[in-house]
Amino acid sequence: MSISNLPDPKILVDLYRRATLIAQNDERFRSVIRSGKIAMVYYSPRGQEIIPSAISVNLTNDDYIVTIYRGIHDMLAKGVPVKQLWAELGGRATGTCKGKGGPMHVTHPASGVMVTTGVVGSSMPIANGLALAAQIRGEKRVAVAYFGDGASNIGAFHESLNLASVWKLPVIFVCQNNGYAEHTKLAYGTSVPNIAIRAVSYGMPGITVDGNDPLAMYYAAREAVDRARNGGGPTLIEAKTFRFFGHVFGDQDGYMEKGEKDAWKARDPVPLFRKWLIETKNATEAELAAMEADIEQEITEALEFTLASPYPDAAELRRDVFESEMSA
Ligand SMILES: Cc1ncc(C[n+]2csc(CCOP(=O)(O)OP(=O)(O)O)c2C)c(N)n1
Ligand SMILES: [Mg+2]
């Protein structure tokens, strides 16, 4: 790629900011869980930062995402306020869902995070519904469904791609292929080496991208977003990546091949992107260091806010569950 084709430096630095927020946030989450200050089940997205960051720099605040239990990176990249996100994960009344959703069910419509689901494969039909609503209303909104490689073997994946193609929905299916579904390696349970091949069956464009390559991801995202927004219908993006900390926090990784994790960690996409930005003069060392310090501060404030926030009152138990008991 020639230098003249590169995205604006502001976009590249924005992409790096989002990826860094995810990586630093993950570091803090893991240390806070280890310390016992906050108890939660945590599916670390560390290693997968570039994917939602590259998607989100191409989205507007009004665009929708639907994500999964391993989705903190998707939420942060889309712009969920860090304080409210932490408070929700800590089960506090000040969280995005007043502490009643917890890590598996973060919702924040103001930033376009419409649903987080623990049901593997269910993000796709929900994103179709949001895209259909936008299409019917004549809004130029795009919906993104995030999911994993394992989810591409669920019936809902196939049904959703089919219907999205028939109805030319403004939806993007982003498969974050990290090579494992829980403890099952891709080839044990998936019939194809590249999940993007499956798009052919449904008459839509499908692309396999190096999900850890910021430029490749940026261009794939931009093309898919443009297509969806301009009436061209859905796209399947398969972004190849790796999860650095196994399936769930505490995972011993014994099922992985020796050295596999270390080889991926040696190519950690966040510091590699940082180095590239400085070498190509898209940013200076001082500029990025200041940004990282600000992010660190924001995370510290989110932790303090969470620890100082109350748990939801027992009277909150049924509120917001039934329509007749919705709070304003
Ligand atoms: C319908 C359904 N089946 C099984 C599970 C149990 N389960 C939770 S996570 C997971 C693995 C999914 O792997 P993948 O889609 O690759 O996502 P990743 O965790 O790698 O991000 C499974 C099988 C579930 N939550 N929902
Ligand atoms: Mg996976």
Side-chain angles (χ1 to χ4, degrees):
M1 185 180 313
S2 82
I3 287 288
S4 60
N5 282 338
L6 285 176
D8 191 281
K10 279 204 189 79
I11 295 175
L12 292 168
V13 171
D14 185 12
L15 202 164
Y16 176 76
R17 185 190 59 77
R18 294 175 203 235
T20 300
L21 171 62
I22 295 163
Q24 289 183 203
N25 191 81
D26 179 86
E27 180 69 39
R28 194 69 76 86
F29 263 148
R30 286 183 288 104
S31 85
V32 167
I33 296 170
R34 268 195 304 268
S35 75
K37 280 189 193 141
I38 296 179
M40 63 173 156
V41 180
Y42 183 52
Y43 300 90
S44 169
R46 187 75 182 83
Q48 304 186 192
E49 295 85 350
I50 299 298
I51 302 165
S53 302
I55 298 279
S56 294
V57 295
N58 283 287
L59 298 176
T60 70
N61 190 59
D62 289 341
D63 291 326
Y64 298 128
I65 70 161
V66 181
T67 187
I68 60 169
Y69 51 89
R70 190 185 319 285
I72 298 292
H73 55 328
D74 306 330
M75 299 166 204
L76 287 169
K78 188 67 174 66
V80 173
V82 182
K83 270 187 184 168
Q84 279 173 270
L85 180 66
W86 269 77
E88 189 57 39
L89 268 67
R92 302 311 210 267
T94 50
T96 55
C97 306
K98 301 184 203 161
K100 295 186 278 184
M104 286 264 201
H105 303 291
V106 175
T107 307
H108 191 255
S111 58
V113 178
M114 304 309 282
V115 181
T116 298
T117 165
V119 181
V120 171
S122 65
S123 62
M124 294 162 269
I126 300 171
N128 270 2
L130 293 163
L132 178 63
Q135 190 186 58
I136 290 170
R137 291 178 187 143
E139 297 167 349
K140 283 249 171 186
R141 280 176 157 157
V142 170
V144 174
Y146 288 113
F147 57 97
D149 44 287
S152 77
N153 298 319
I154 294 264
F157 165 88
H158 298 273
E159 296 169 26
S160 301
L161 265 69
N162 181 61
L163 209 51
S165 183
V166 171
W167 289 345
K168 283 218 166 310
L169 296 179
V171 61
I172 304 167
F173 300 102
V174 181
C175 177
Q176 304 192 25
N177 180 356
N178 56 20
Y180 287 87
E182 282 191 307
H183 303 160
T184 306
K185 207 172 169 63
L186 186 82
Y188 284 120
T190 303
S191 57
V192 286
N194 293 319
I195 288 157
I197 294 168
R198 293 181 167 169
V200 176
S201 313
Y202 304 108
M204 76 171 69
I207 180 172
T208 299
V209 192
D210 177 350
N212 290 6
D213 178 337
L215 288 179
M217 261 316 296
Y218 172 80
Y219 285 112
R222 191 171 75 179
E223 197 179 320
V225 171
D226 286 350
R227 179 178 297 123
R229 211 181 291 292
N230 297 312
T235 306
L236 171 62
I237 298 177
E238 174 193 16
K240 296 218 176 186
T241 187
F242 193 78
R243 21 154 247 211
F244 284 181
F245 294 98
H247 180 58
V248 65
F249 186 61
D251 186 333
Q252 296 300 308
D253 297 352
Y255 52 90
M256 284 186 186
E257 278 162 35
K258 215 172 170 294
E260 185 183 18
K261 190 173 62 177
D262 295 339
W264 279 92
K265 280 186 168 176
R267 287 179 284 120
D268 186 337
V270 182
L272 279 181
F273 188 30
R274 186 186 202 279
K275 193 162 168 273
W276 181 88
L277 283 172
I278 295 168
E279 275 170 9
T280 54
K281 303 205 182 325
N282 278 288
T284 63
E285 161 70 41
E287 197 184 329
L288 298 187
M291 174 202 285
E292 289 150 3
D294 285 350
I295 290 173
E296 209 53 41
Q297 180 59 26
E298 190 180 7
I299 294 169
T300 299
E301 284 169 18
L303 169 62
E304 285 165 1
F305 174 75
T306 301
L307 295 178
S309 293
Y311 288 104
D313 196 83
E316 281 286 321
L317 196 60
R318 278 159 52 108
R319 195 170 296 140
D320 302 318
V321 175
F322 302 102
E323 200 185 358
S324 56
E325 297 179 49
M326 294 289 272
S327 48

